[in-house]
Amino acid sequence: MSIRHGLLALLERGPRYGSQLRTEFESRTGATWPLNVGQVYTTLARLERDGLVAPGGEDEAGHTLYAITDAGRTELRSWYGRPVDRTNPPRDELAIKLAMAVGAHGVDIRAVIQSQRHATVQAMQDYTRLKAQALTAIESGKSRERDDLAWLLVLEQLIFQTEAEARWLDHSETRLVRLAALTGEPRTAADTAGPATAPATAPHTTRPAARTPRG
């Protein structure tokens, strides 16, 4: 996640101070990637060092404002225009867990997969319910439409991610069954249990507390 470019995008809309940037960043992304004020000011210091932002005076409350520079606008346009680099994919805890579970003594990898599948389906239901809420807010015209649309795009990306994860878990389980058949390994109780079933209804969770009213 590029915090620096996210802050540049917010600063392009006008000068802002640190905690204001934090609030707007989380409002735009639904607190999917929460920030703390320390992260924001550390990033602003680096952006200033690189000539991408500059101090922009103070507001009436004495907050130090930051403004994007011409170099910052050029960098932001370049970021929007170039694809996200996939040559060094981020570490995925689930993939690492299953890789380490293969052949690990005393670990039932099928049980690990089924437990994760249940959690993945539950997360998918949560995201789908939040998506419906975001759509309702947009269609009602009673919300900050720009922020709700941005949050909707984030939610839909999370839904696609969890759908892909569920398919990969099914594939991994099938792969293990086939390998077990080839090697003649004994079947476990999990082999006959079938896929974990999804909860009948989505759990009663609420949207992350990112939608903090602006002060």
Side-chain angles (χ1 to χ4, degrees):
M1 176 186 61
S2 181
I3 296 175
R4 59 190 273 123
H5 291 104
L7 298 186
L8 284 175
L10 294 173
L11 288 172
E12 191 177 37
R13 298 168 59 187
R16 281 157 171 72
Y17 56 88
S19 59
Q20 185 180 18
L21 286 167
R22 173 196 174 191
T23 298
E24 292 189 15
F25 184 95
E26 293 190 346
S27 179
R28 189 67 67 88
T29 62
T32 305
W33 304 283
L35 299 178
N36 60 56
V37 173
Q39 283 179 290
V40 172
Y41 280 106
T42 297
T43 303
L44 286 172
R46 291 172 180 165
L47 290 170
E48 184 178 359
R49 176 200 64 194
D50 296 338
L52 304 180
V53 305
E58 295 183 349
D59 65 4
E60 295 179 355
H63 297 117
T64 300
L65 300 174
Y66 292 84
I68 191 170
T69 64
D70 289 341
R73 290 189 178 87
T74 299
E75 172 59 25
L76 185 60
R77 297 275 82 75
S78 175
W79 178 61
Y80 282 137
R82 63 177 179 263
V84 174
D85 185 8
R86 300 295 186 191
T87 55
N88 294 300
R91 294 182 181 88
D92 183 279
E93 182 180 355
L94 178 56
I96 294 172
K97 181 188 291 187
L98 293 191
M100 296 302 162
V102 173
H105 178 69
V107 176
D108 184 348
I109 190 171
R110 299 276 317 274
V112 174
I113 290 173
Q114 290 194 21
S115 175
Q116 182 62 48
R117 183 190 290 114
H118 181 88
T120 299
V121 171
Q122 181 172 316
M124 195 187 311
Q125 291 179 329
D126 289 345
Y127 295 146
T128 301
R129 180 174 49 76
L130 291 172
K131 174 184 173 180
Q133 292 176 1
L135 283 171
T136 299
I138 292 172
E139 293 168 358
S140 70
K142 296 179 180 179
S143 66
R144 295 187 180 93
E145 186 170 343
R146 186 200 302 253
D147 286 352
D148 282 302
L149 178 58
W151 170 227
L152 178 63
L153 294 178
V154 171
L155 277 172
E156 289 177 331
Q157 194 263 355
L158 292 171
I159 291 170
F160 290 140
Q161 276 189 335
T162 51
E163 288 175 344
E165 182 173 286
R167 291 196 301 271
W168 176 67
L169 288 167
D170 290 342
H171 168 79
S172 298
E173 188 170 30
T174 300
R175 175 77 70 192
L176 288 168
V177 170
R178 290 175 179 172
L179 289 177
L182 289 174
T183 59
E185 293 181 2
R187 291 167 64 84
T188 66
D191 293 331
T192 57
T197 56
T201 58
H204 297 288
T205 57
T206 58
R207 178 176 181 167
R211 309 292 288 178
T212 308
R214 295 188 177 117

